[in-house]
């Protein structure tokens, strides 16, 4: 028996990854050279460097693709049709090729199940990006996982707001201010200890 909720979660993640990878490939020509999808997150490695501005643009374009509710289709091109197609793949496949197409966003060789339309993904969030080897490693969350991540961060932010009497949009500023005050008090304490000694 299929656990539909679990399967749908994986479909949301994987379809979201195709959108992000397809847009990065289309915008920069970078290749996805590593992919891991687990219960605790999704990691994608690219062969070249991405900067923070690139990530912001790709995330925005990814969510536009979600909101556009693009149909996701599967193609089985013939051996004769394959040479004319430009698709992402790590392997040279000459027969039984299955391509997953997301409008003009991505065309990729893939054997996994996907959602029927991009709107079913709900939301795509790139939660981190770091230099990795000669390229970039990004972490992505999508769908219900993205909602859970936002809920967690929102709840944590509410606690910080309450503890510091900080407005929602200034929690980081208030935390910085508290840390500066702690550093000042610590320096003053160390000075007094030295003076007493």
């Amino acid at each position: 028996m299929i656990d539909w909720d679990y399967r749908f979660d994986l479909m949301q993640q994987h379809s979201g990854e195709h959108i992000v990878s397809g847009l990065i490939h289309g915008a920069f020509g970078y290749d996805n050279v590593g992919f891991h999808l687990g219960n605790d997150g999704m990691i994608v490695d690219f062969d070249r460097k991405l900067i923070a501005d690139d990530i912001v643009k790709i995330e925005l374009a990814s969510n536009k693709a979600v909101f556009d509710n693009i149909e996701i289709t599967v193609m089985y091109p013939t051996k004769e049709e394959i040479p004319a197609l430009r698709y992402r793949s790590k392997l040279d496949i000459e027969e039984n090729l299955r391509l997953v197409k997301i409008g003009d966003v991505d065309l990729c060789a893939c054997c996994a199940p996907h959602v029927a339309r991009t709107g079913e993904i709900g939301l795509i969030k790139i939660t981190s990006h770091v230099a990795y080897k000669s390229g970039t490693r990004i972490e992505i969350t999508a769908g219900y996982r993205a909602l859970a991540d936002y809920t967690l961060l929102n709840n944590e932010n509410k606690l910080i707001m309450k503890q510091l009497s900080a407005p929602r949009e200034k929690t980081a500023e208030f935390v910085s201010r508290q840390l500066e005050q702690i550093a000042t008090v610590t320096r003053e304490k160390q000075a007094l200890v030295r003076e007493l000694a």
Side-chain angles (χ1 to χ4, degrees), residues 131-151:
Y132 180 72
K133 296 184 179 178
S134 59
T136 305
R137 169 168 283 180
I138 66 173
E139 290 188 44
I140 309 169
T141 186
Y144 285 114
R145 287 192 198 189
L147 176 62
D149 182 65
Y150 175 77
T151 300

mmCIF file of all heavy atoms in Angstrom, residues 131-151:
data_model
loop_
_atom_site.group_PDB
_atom_site.id
_atom_site.type_symbol
_atom_site.label_atom_id
_atom_site.label_comp_id
_atom_site.label_asym_id
_atom_site.label_seq_id
_atom_site.Cartn_x
_atom_site.Cartn_y
_atom_site.Cartn_z
ATOM 1 N N ALA A 131 29.656 27.712 -0.589
ATOM 2 C CA ALA A 131 30.661 27.239 -1.539
ATOM 3 C C ALA A 131 30.963 25.784 -1.190
ATOM 4 O O ALA A 131 31.135 25.434 -0.015
ATOM 5 C CB ALA A 131 31.915 28.096 -1.431
ATOM 6 N N TYR A 132 31.023 24.945 -2.205
ATOM 7 C CA TYR A 132 31.279 23.520 -1.976
ATOM 8 C C TYR A 132 32.142 23.003 -3.114
ATOM 9 O O TYR A 132 31.751 23.067 -4.277
ATOM 10 C CB TYR A 132 29.957 22.752 -1.903
ATOM 11 C CG TYR A 132 30.129 21.278 -1.672
ATOM 12 C CD1 TYR A 132 30.547 20.799 -0.429
ATOM 13 C CD2 TYR A 132 29.888 20.354 -2.687
ATOM 14 C CE1 TYR A 132 30.708 19.442 -0.205
ATOM 15 C CE2 TYR A 132 30.047 18.998 -2.468
ATOM 16 C CZ TYR A 132 30.458 18.542 -1.228
ATOM 17 O OH TYR A 132 30.635 17.195 -1.014
ATOM 18 N N LYS A 133 33.336 22.530 -2.749
ATOM 19 C CA LYS A 133 34.327 22.119 -3.745
ATOM 20 C C LYS A 133 34.541 23.289 -4.705
ATOM 21 O O LYS A 133 34.813 24.395 -4.277
ATOM 22 C CB LYS A 133 33.902 20.831 -4.425
ATOM 23 C CG LYS A 133 33.836 19.650 -3.439
ATOM 24 C CD LYS A 133 33.508 18.341 -4.116
ATOM 25 C CE LYS A 133 33.487 17.211 -3.097
ATOM 26 N NZ LYS A 133 33.120 15.925 -3.681
ATOM 27 N N SER A 134 34.368 23.088 -5.995
ATOM 28 C CA SER A 134 34.572 24.208 -6.930
ATOM 29 C C SER A 134 33.254 24.870 -7.310
ATOM 30 O O SER A 134 33.210 25.747 -8.164
ATOM 31 C CB SER A 134 35.277 23.711 -8.192
ATOM 32 O OG SER A 134 34.506 22.705 -8.815
ATOM 33 N N GLY A 135 32.166 24.460 -6.663
ATOM 34 C CA GLY A 135 30.851 24.986 -7.019
ATOM 35 C C GLY A 135 30.065 25.490 -5.827
ATOM 36 O O GLY A 135 30.608 26.103 -4.909
ATOM 37 N N THR A 136 28.774 25.198 -5.843
ATOM 38 C CA THR A 136 27.858 25.683 -4.808
ATOM 39 C C THR A 136 26.928 24.563 -4.366
ATOM 40 O O THR A 136 26.404 23.811 -5.192
ATOM 41 C CB THR A 136 26.996 26.844 -5.351
ATOM 42 O OG1 THR A 136 27.843 27.868 -5.854
ATOM 43 C CG2 THR A 136 26.096 27.421 -4.267
ATOM 44 N N ARG A 137 26.734 24.463 -3.073
ATOM 45 C CA ARG A 137 25.749 23.525 -2.510
ATOM 46 C C ARG A 137 24.590 24.347 -1.970
ATOM 47 O O ARG A 137 24.792 25.301 -1.215
ATOM 48 C CB ARG A 137 26.366 22.688 -1.398
ATOM 49 C CG ARG A 137 25.342 21.890 -0.583
ATOM 50 C CD ARG A 137 25.999 20.859 0.301
ATOM 51 N NE ARG A 137 26.414 19.713 -0.507
ATOM 52 C CZ ARG A 137 27.017 18.631 -0.015
ATOM 53 N NH1 ARG A 137 27.293 18.562 1.277
ATOM 54 N NH2 ARG A 137 27.350 17.633 -0.823
ATOM 55 N N ILE A 138 23.373 23.990 -2.384
ATOM 56 C CA ILE A 138 22.196 24.681 -1.853
ATOM 57 C C ILE A 138 21.277 23.674 -1.176
ATOM 58 O O ILE A 138 21.265 22.489 -1.524
ATOM 59 C CB ILE A 138 21.430 25.469 -2.941
ATOM 60 C CG1 ILE A 138 20.802 24.541 -3.980
ATOM 61 C CG2 ILE A 138 22.326 26.496 -3.615
ATOM 62 C CD1 ILE A 138 19.907 25.250 -4.966
ATOM 63 N N GLU A 139 20.553 24.152 -0.189
ATOM 64 C CA GLU A 139 19.511 23.356 0.456
ATOM 65 C C GLU A 139 18.176 23.972 0.074
ATOM 66 O O GLU A 139 18.009 25.190 0.118
ATOM 67 C CB GLU A 139 19.693 23.343 1.968
ATOM 68 C CG GLU A 139 20.905 22.541 2.413
ATOM 69 C CD GLU A 139 20.971 22.378 3.915
ATOM 70 O OE1 GLU A 139 19.927 22.089 4.535
ATOM 71 O OE2 GLU A 139 22.073 22.547 4.468
ATOM 72 N N ILE A 140 17.253 23.106 -0.310
ATOM 73 C CA ILE A 140 15.934 23.545 -0.771
ATOM 74 C C ILE A 140 14.872 22.835 0.052
ATOM 75 O O ILE A 140 15.026 21.656 0.401
ATOM 76 C CB ILE A 140 15.713 23.181 -2.257
ATOM 77 C CG1 ILE A 140 16.872 23.661 -3.127
ATOM 78 C CG2 ILE A 140 14.389 23.742 -2.769
ATOM 79 C CD1 ILE A 140 16.836 23.089 -4.544
ATOM 80 N N THR A 141 13.795 23.528 0.312
ATOM 81 C CA THR A 141 12.615 22.885 0.879
ATOM 82 C C THR A 141 11.406 23.367 0.085
ATOM 83 O O THR A 141 11.382 24.486 -0.427
ATOM 84 C CB THR A 141 12.471 23.179 2.393
ATOM 85 O OG1 THR A 141 11.385 22.429 2.915
ATOM 86 C CG2 THR A 141 12.241 24.646 2.649
ATOM 87 N N ALA A 142 10.430 22.492 -0.046
ATOM 88 C CA ALA A 142 9.260 22.824 -0.863
ATOM 89 C C ALA A 142 7.991 22.269 -0.224
ATOM 90 O O ALA A 142 8.035 21.414 0.657
ATOM 91 C CB ALA A 142 9.428 22.249 -2.280
ATOM 92 N N GLY A 143 6.864 22.791 -0.684
ATOM 93 C CA GLY A 143 5.572 22.261 -0.275
ATOM 94 C C GLY A 143 5.309 22.360 1.212
ATOM 95 O O GLY A 143 5.614 23.363 1.862
ATOM 96 N N TYR A 144 4.748 21.272 1.779
ATOM 97 C CA TYR A 144 4.417 21.254 3.202
ATOM 98 C C TYR A 144 5.663 21.395 4.067
ATOM 99 O O TYR A 144 5.597 21.952 5.166
ATOM 100 C CB TYR A 144 3.667 19.967 3.566
ATOM 101 C CG TYR A 144 2.229 19.957 3.110
ATOM 102 C CD1 TYR A 144 1.788 19.067 2.141
ATOM 103 C CD2 TYR A 144 1.302 20.855 3.652
ATOM 104 C CE1 TYR A 144 0.463 19.069 1.713
ATOM 105 C CE2 TYR A 144 -0.022 20.859 3.235
ATOM 106 C CZ TYR A 144 -0.432 19.956 2.270
ATOM 107 O OH TYR A 144 -1.743 19.956 1.854
ATOM 108 N N ARG A 145 6.806 20.908 3.568
ATOM 109 C CA ARG A 145 8.050 21.068 4.332
ATOM 110 C C ARG A 145 8.412 22.554 4.452
ATOM 111 O O ARG A 145 8.894 22.990 5.490
ATOM 112 C CB ARG A 145 9.204 20.341 3.658
ATOM 113 C CG ARG A 145 9.142 18.848 3.771
ATOM 114 C CD ARG A 145 10.460 18.237 3.340
ATOM 115 N NE ARG A 145 10.324 16.832 3.033
ATOM 116 C CZ ARG A 145 11.333 16.019 2.797
ATOM 117 N NH1 ARG A 145 12.565 16.480 2.838
ATOM 118 N NH2 ARG A 145 11.134 14.741 2.522
ATOM 119 N N ALA A 146 8.216 23.302 3.385
ATOM 120 C CA ALA A 146 8.505 24.741 3.424
ATOM 121 C C ALA A 146 7.570 25.440 4.400
ATOM 122 O O ALA A 146 7.986 26.350 5.135
ATOM 123 C CB ALA A 146 8.384 25.347 2.026
ATOM 124 N N LEU A 147 6.315 25.033 4.422
ATOM 125 C CA LEU A 147 5.362 25.603 5.377
ATOM 126 C C LEU A 147 5.783 25.293 6.805
ATOM 127 O O LEU A 147 5.760 26.170 7.676
ATOM 128 C CB LEU A 147 3.948 25.062 5.111
ATOM 129 C CG LEU A 147 2.865 25.491 6.100
ATOM 130 C CD1 LEU A 147 2.692 27.010 6.085
ATOM 131 C CD2 LEU A 147 1.545 24.798 5.779
ATOM 132 N N ALA A 148 6.199 24.040 7.063
ATOM 133 C CA ALA A 148 6.650 23.650 8.403
ATOM 134 C C ALA A 148 7.880 24.447 8.816
ATOM 135 O O ALA A 148 8.002 24.874 9.973
ATOM 136 C CB ALA A 148 6.944 22.150 8.447
ATOM 137 N N ASP A 149 8.795 24.666 7.860
ATOM 138 C CA ASP A 149 10.007 25.433 8.149
ATOM 139 C C ASP A 149 9.645 26.886 8.492
ATOM 140 O O ASP A 149 10.168 27.446 9.458
ATOM 141 C CB ASP A 149 10.947 25.388 6.937
ATOM 142 C CG ASP A 149 12.252 26.120 7.186
ATOM 143 O OD1 ASP A 149 13.018 25.676 8.062
ATOM 144 O OD2 ASP A 149 12.511 27.132 6.506
ATOM 145 N N TYR A 150 8.739 27.481 7.723
ATOM 146 C CA TYR A 150 8.316 28.852 8.002
ATOM 147 C C TYR A 150 7.625 28.933 9.364
ATOM 148 O O TYR A 150 7.866 29.865 10.142
ATOM 149 C CB TYR A 150 7.372 29.362 6.912
ATOM 150 C CG TYR A 150 6.828 30.728 7.253
ATOM 151 C CD1 TYR A 150 7.610 31.863 7.088
ATOM 152 C CD2 TYR A 150 5.556 30.878 7.801
ATOM 153 C CE1 TYR A 150 7.133 33.116 7.444
ATOM 154 C CE2 TYR A 150 5.079 32.118 8.156
ATOM 155 C CZ TYR A 150 5.872 33.232 7.974
ATOM 156 O OH TYR A 150 5.402 34.469 8.342
ATOM 157 N N THR A 151 6.787 27.959 9.677
ATOM 158 C CA THR A 151 6.080 27.949 10.958
ATOM 159 C C THR A 151 7.072 27.892 12.117
ATOM 160 O O THR A 151 6.937 28.629 13.101
ATOM 161 C CB THR A 151 5.110 26.755 11.023
ATOM 162 O OG1 THR A 151 4.165 26.866 9.949
ATOM 163 C CG2 THR A 151 4.369 26.711 12.345
#
